[in-house]
Amino acid sequence: MPNVAFINGAFVPLADAKVSIEDRGFQFGDGVYEVIRTYKGCPFSIEAHLARLDRSAAALDLTQPYSRAEWTGHILEGVKRAAYPEAKIYLQITRGVAPRDHAYSDDATPTVVMTVREFHPLDRSVQATGVEAMTTEDIRWGRCDIKSVNLLANVLARQQVKQARVFEAILVNSGLVTEGAVSNVMVVQGGTVVTAPEGPRILSGVTRAIVLDLALSEGVSTQERFVSQSDLYTADEVFLTGTTVEVLAVIRVDGKVIGDGRPGPITQRLAASFASRVG
Ligand code: PLP
């Protein structure tokens, strides 16, 4: 089964999908992206992802080349062509090709790229045992709500993760937990799920919103506020949410054991209700 590439309106073999060196995505990271996964061949929460793509593009004054209906058509076609049991769909819009100048012109034609690749979900045993995380300073810019292709701080954080042989980096800004390098972070304190508020400090995760809704329908209270790094260590439970990680327990942070070192009861409940939602 092929990895599918789509560039400026045409499906092409991945090896033939080429972009100019003058593309502003390459020159400046001047672009936005989305990652969507499929469950049983069906893109999950496509509307919410496309809505966030619209918001990201608008925040950068970037022309959104396709309507949501057109994007949906291209995505479904890509998924059909790739025919993977589970696929990861990557969408990217950059401001397009122009002679290098920081300021942009209003008539730039965006470059639009999509790839559809096989997705390998996390091993069930990892879900069952939970994962280890580390904290690192959140050195990102002041608009983390924009899903921009400028990911240098996340790249450096994920490299630290790789070197430390843990699963995720939890980012800390002035002593407060913002989110993970590729996920949102939630903690459980006295039966309440607490997570950083929407705003410029975090990416408003599609999974985050679903999990907060699921918590409410499960009768679990939620609060959207920042928690400190020390509150993170002493939380009853910590978990990550995200398109690729779903709901994933964190059992150790910086070597400190969270709770009793096993996925906690609220994390397990939310993981189970998320699994039945996607199923
Ligand atoms: N936060 C960051 C920095 C991310 O990169 C991601 C996912 O890529 C998330 C949160 C989770 O967002 P979502 O649930 O929409 O995948």
Side-chain angles (χ1 to χ4, degrees):
M1 273 166 268
N3 283 324
V4 163
F6 170 92
I7 177 162
N8 296 329
F11 283 96
V12 294
L14 190 58
D16 297 340
K18 301 267 190 333
V19 177
S20 163
I21 60 163
E22 296 223 285
D23 193 277
R24 292 180 61 93
F26 180 67
Q27 296 283 353
F28 297 109
D30 187 358
V32 296
Y33 76 106
E34 271 303 321
V35 177
I36 307 172
R37 68 159 287 190
T38 65
Y39 289 93
K40 299 196 181 104
C42 186
F44 181 65
S45 279
I46 190 169
E47 271 299 318
H49 284 283
L50 292 178
R52 187 170 62 190
L53 187 65
D54 278 347
R55 290 199 303 275
S56 297
L60 295 186
D61 182 28
L62 200 54
T63 310
Q64 171 55 281
Y66 299 127
S67 68
R68 288 196 203 166
E70 286 167 334
W71 261 125
T72 303
H74 295 317
I75 291 167
L76 294 179
E77 174 65 19
V79 167
K80 197 167 111 197
R81 285 175 184 239
Y84 289 122
E86 299 304 343
K88 184 154 104 171
I89 303 148
Y90 177 81
L91 315 177
Q92 180 178 301
I93 308 169
T94 69
R95 208 178 302 272
V97 178
R100 191 178 183 283
D101 182 5
H102 288 66
Y104 52 88
S105 79
D106 294 337
D107 58 0
T109 306
T111 301
V112 188
V113 161
M114 170 172 71
T115 56
V116 184
R117 293 165 180 272
E118 185 162 24
F119 178 67
H120 301 281
L122 274 183
D123 214 78
R124 285 283 148 220
S125 64
V126 177
Q127 297 271 8
T129 53
V131 297
E132 191 164 350
M134 60 183 285
T135 59
T136 190
E137 199 189 332
D138 189 347
I139 59 168
R140 297 173 303 163
W141 72 324
R143 288 300 306 273
C144 303
D145 54 317
I146 301 171
K147 203 163 167 69
S148 139
V149 294
N150 257 287
L151 287 169
L152 272 183
N154 309 60
V155 165
L156 296 178
R158 291 296 298 174
Q159 186 62 15
Q160 288 180 41
V161 160
K162 188 171 157 191
Q163 281 159 356
R165 295 175 192 275
V166 294
F167 186 86
E168 175 63 310
I170 295 179
L171 308 177
V172 177
N173 187 321
S174 309
L176 300 177
V177 172
T178 53
E179 61 181 331
V182 292
S183 60
N184 289 109
V185 176
M186 302 201 179
V187 306
V188 180
Q189 290 176 327
T192 298
V193 171
V194 187
T195 192
E198 285 187 294
R201 288 277 154 226
I202 68 159
L203 182 75
S204 181
V206 169
T207 321
R208 173 189 178 279
I210 293 170
V211 170
L212 287 175
D213 271 0
L214 288 173
L216 287 184
S217 50
E218 292 269 333
V220 176
S221 58
T222 62
Q223 283 178 8
E224 295 180 57
R225 60 171 172 81
F226 289 106
V227 298
S228 67
Q229 184 169 358
S230 50
D231 285 346
L232 174 73
Y233 296 140
T234 56
D236 303 324
E237 304 177 32
V238 176
F239 61 93
L240 309 174
T241 67
T243 295
T244 55
V245 299
E246 303 176 311
V247 175
L248 183 62
V250 175
I251 53 160
R252 254 194 314 272
V253 179
D254 296 338
K256 298 174 177 52
V257 174
I258 305 298
D260 65 2
R262 286 176 298 182
I266 291 185
T267 307
Q268 289 192 52
R269 251 168 83 194
L270 293 174
S273 47
F274 187 79
S276 48
R277 165 70 81 90
V278 300

